[in-house]
Amino acid sequence: MKAHPSPPLHVRSRTRLLAAGLSCAALLALAACQRQEPAAAPIAVVVALPIHPQQGPAGESLRFPAEVASRYANVMSFRVAGKLLERDVRLGDAVRQGQILARLDPADAQQQLASAQAALDAARHRLAFAQQQLDRDRAQDAQNLIAANQLEQTQDSYTAALDARDQAAAQLAVAQNALQYNTLRAEHDGVITSENADTGQVVAAGQAVYGLAWSGDTDVTLDAPESRLGAIAVGGQASVSFPALPNRRFEARVREIAPPADPQSRTYRVKLSLTPPDRDVRLGMTGEATLAPLTATAASSANSSTFVLPATAIFHQGAKPAVWVVLPKDSTLELRVVTASRYDDRTATVTDGLRDGERVVLAGVHTVYAGEPVHPVAPLFTPAEQLERNDRASDGANGAAR
């Protein structure tokens, strides 16, 4: 066979360079394929809603069960202990100021009074004798017939006898009062609302015997949930109707709103005054009170910067309360210090630091940080709807307990 001639040297060099270039290009292409850009961090999802000042439902009347109660009432009790001998009034009786309601056995009090009277009589006799002795010693001392120390002793005996007389007189007054305290008298005109002790029972000092509702001013009381307080104000107009007085409505005004909530029902006691009072409205009557809500202007001016937030929205910056606000320009979080005027079981009332329409994080406040970009989503229920659901659940639980 005929051998092929070898390619020239310069051709072999070019071939090697081309192969090396292709190898480098392949390696670079492989490295480029394996290099990937880092994945961007996912945007956090937070539960947030725009907030608005606290207001009542515009144009919607508020209806509550109501009951007539005396504006003033107190418990009647004896100031001393003893055995209850008689009761002169019964439940529902009308009484006058000073009228006798009940009596205790006065035997011990009478004996104490007699003892105190005897002690006072003896003290008076000793004082009279000490006075006579002092007069004689002064006359003898004027004639230098007795020593000076004898006159001093006589003066000391007279002073002791005088103080003993005053002490016995005070003890007699105490015994007289104790005898009077065995009789229970009405301190005001009113109606007996409860009986708490039976004849023959031994009662302690201060133990309740009767409940007395004072005559005169009466109130119509109702219990309002916290979600309705923004629509109720002192001086607001109301009307009341009673099944016992059909076809009649009574005008009233809100006289008082209790500052604290009832610890069990978490409702606030509201008291209405009838304008004018009516004698046909009697204590214990039940009915329905209709309250006119605040107008939109009045509600806005009265609660222009008052926001009711869920308690889960409150965070802290140091020792101060704060909330997370979603900034509208870039959906990042800002920790805003606020002023909270009241904390309840499920809500917090914020009076400063927030503006109408700002979006506030309502839950998960411990899992975010300042400047974090977030995606706000609405909760399943708005705060007002959640409060309404809680109120209905609370009313149901209270009804079951009753």
Side-chain angles (χ1 to χ4, degrees), residues 282-342:
R282 305 184 62 182
L283 297 177
M285 281 186 174
T286 58
E288 183 182 65
T290 303
L291 277 65
L294 297 176
T295 63
T297 303
S300 178
S301 61
N303 302 294
S304 58
S305 60
T306 300
F307 302 87
V308 177
L309 304 179
T312 55
I314 300 299
F315 195 60
H316 285 85
Q317 187 176 41
K320 298 180 180 179
V323 298
W324 291 105
V325 178
V326 181
L327 299 180
K329 58 181 180 180
D330 54 3
S331 294
T332 57
L333 293 181
E334 175 191 1
L335 185 59
R336 182 86 55 81
V337 175
V338 297
T339 301
S341 62
R342 188 178 70 222

Side-chain angles (χ1 to χ4, degrees), residues 119-193:
L120 178 60
D121 293 341
R124 286 173 176 170
H125 284 295
R126 285 192 294 269
L127 178 61
F129 175 77
Q131 180 67 57
Q132 294 174 0
Q133 184 65 37
L134 180 60
D135 292 341
R136 287 194 297 268
D137 287 353
R138 283 176 175 171
Q140 292 177 356
D141 180 68
Q143 299 176 6
N144 294 323
L145 297 178
I146 60 174
N149 62 345
Q150 183 176 347
L151 177 61
E152 293 174 355
Q153 292 176 0
T154 304
Q155 291 175 337
D156 179 70
S157 299
Y158 172 78
T159 302
L162 181 62
D163 292 340
R165 192 277 311 270
D166 295 340
Q167 181 181 6
Q171 291 176 346
L172 177 63
V174 172
Q176 291 173 341
N177 291 338
L179 182 60
Q180 293 178 359
Y181 295 156
N182 280 263
T183 301
L184 184 63
R185 299 178 182 271
E187 299 178 355
H188 304 275
D189 296 347
V191 178
I192 299 298
T193 58

